[in-house]
Amino acid sequence: MSAAVRVIPCLDVDAGRVVKGVNFRDLRDAGDPVELARRYDAEGADEVTFLDVSASSGDRQTTYDVVGRTAEEVFVPLTVGGGVRSTDDVDRLLRAGADKVGVNTAAIARPELVAEIAARFGSQVLVLSVDARRVVDGPPTPSGYEVTTHGGRRGTGIDAVGWTRRAVELGAGEVLLNSMDADGTTDGFDLEMLRAVRAEVHVPLIASGGAGTPEHFVEAARAGADALLAASVFHFGVLTVGDVKARLRQAGVSVR
């Protein structure tokens, strides 16, 4: 685990608005992304992550516009993911103001994309986003977890831990591990999955999916997460970034 744990609010952006649901369903409006990012910057967030969840993935221009406006307003690093299919997509997002870019589905379809992005821009720019869930039906995977696509709706049968290890070997500089089972439930992070991935990769690991209380963040940090990402609890005012950092400090976890 790196010296100081980062706290990262995540903005799921659909058609230029922040939305949030449970397990990526029943989405409700959570506000303007630029305003929310500004608020989190003021609260002491270490980074802000934007995930473009638009069904109309053809409308990329909205995303570039939102990223550009946000980059002008906030001074923390911005990671942007969703619909990234090529090195040119990465280039456009970086030019729009992103500091790091997340890849998910396109990398599963064509793992060479990870190596291509790392070669062109450096590993530090590339965040592998893994939407994983426990295997409940279908053939078991070695770790008991599989990678999903399409917002967790489609299983791939690909072992989540094995895929993460392979992508890091190809050049991913950071891993955003999202538990689809826990997403939006506020019941806590999937600590078992975190530990399984932590044992296999040595790049920074971001825990995502399930945060509901300050204690959940402490548990994830102790399970080996270098960064802690959450959405609902921040957007709807249940917790502030400051609340989370105060609890982490109290628990003896180093924060920025």
Side-chain angles (χ1 to χ4, degrees):
M1 198 163 74
S2 66
V5 167
R6 290 168 287 149
V7 177
I8 307 176
C10 179
L11 310 179
D12 294 323
V13 180
D14 185 2
R17 297 288 293 176
V18 176
V19 295
K20 193 60 202 161
V22 177
N23 305 125
F24 280 62
R25 290 179 179 83
D26 303 322
L27 299 179
R28 55 181 175 144
D29 188 275
D32 174 69
V34 182
E35 281 174 26
L36 280 171
R38 196 188 296 129
R39 184 176 101 200
Y40 296 139
D41 187 15
E43 279 183 17
D46 298 300
E47 294 180 19
V48 171
T49 292
F50 272 58
L51 294 180
D52 184 344
V53 298
S54 297
S56 59
S57 49
D59 185 23
R60 314 285 346 144
Q61 199 47 52
T62 306
T63 304
Y64 298 132
D65 176 54
V66 168
V67 171
R69 286 188 296 126
T70 305
E72 286 171 10
E73 295 278 342
V74 306
F75 303 100
V76 293
L78 286 181
T79 297
V80 184
V84 174
R85 296 182 182 87
S86 67
T87 55
D88 287 345
D89 289 341
V90 175
D91 188 51
R92 279 194 288 271
L93 284 169
L94 294 174
R95 288 175 190 278
D99 297 282
K100 294 186 276 190
V101 174
V103 294
N104 185 344
T105 306
I108 295 163
R110 202 174 69 80
E112 303 79 41
L113 178 63
V114 174
E116 289 163 10
I117 294 170
R120 183 167 165 189
F121 304 103
S123 289
Q124 78 286 348
V125 157
L126 179 55
V127 179
L128 178 77
S129 187
V130 182
D131 291 337
R133 69 179 179 198
R134 290 173 191 271
V135 180
V136 281
D137 44 14
T141 63
S143 68
Y145 293 94
E146 71 170 333
V147 175
T148 68
T149 61
H150 301 81
R153 289 186 295 277
R154 204 171 291 180
T156 62
I158 297 168
D159 182 62
V161 176
W163 162 239
T164 304
R165 184 175 58 236
R166 183 179 175 205
V168 167
E169 286 165 359
L170 285 168
E174 197 162 2
V175 174
L176 168 53
L177 182 64
N178 188 35
S179 166
M180 300 312 295
D181 299 317
D183 178 78
T185 62
T186 67
D187 292 334
F189 294 97
D190 188 330
L191 303 177
E192 195 182 326
M193 184 167 76
L194 266 177
R195 291 189 188 103
V197 172
R198 175 78 290 165
E200 293 292 330
V201 303
H202 303 291
V203 298
L205 177 60
I206 306 165
S208 169
T213 69
E215 202 55 43
H216 291 153
F217 291 87
V218 173
E219 291 166 358
R222 288 181 173 153
D226 301 282
L228 309 162
L229 180 143
S232 310
V233 289
F234 293 143
H235 302 340
F236 301 119
V238 178
L239 296 173
T240 66
V241 172
D243 295 334
V244 171
K245 287 194 169 186
R247 178 65 192 101
L248 287 164
R249 282 192 194 95
Q250 191 185 1
V253 177
S254 172
V255 294
R256 298 185 178 186

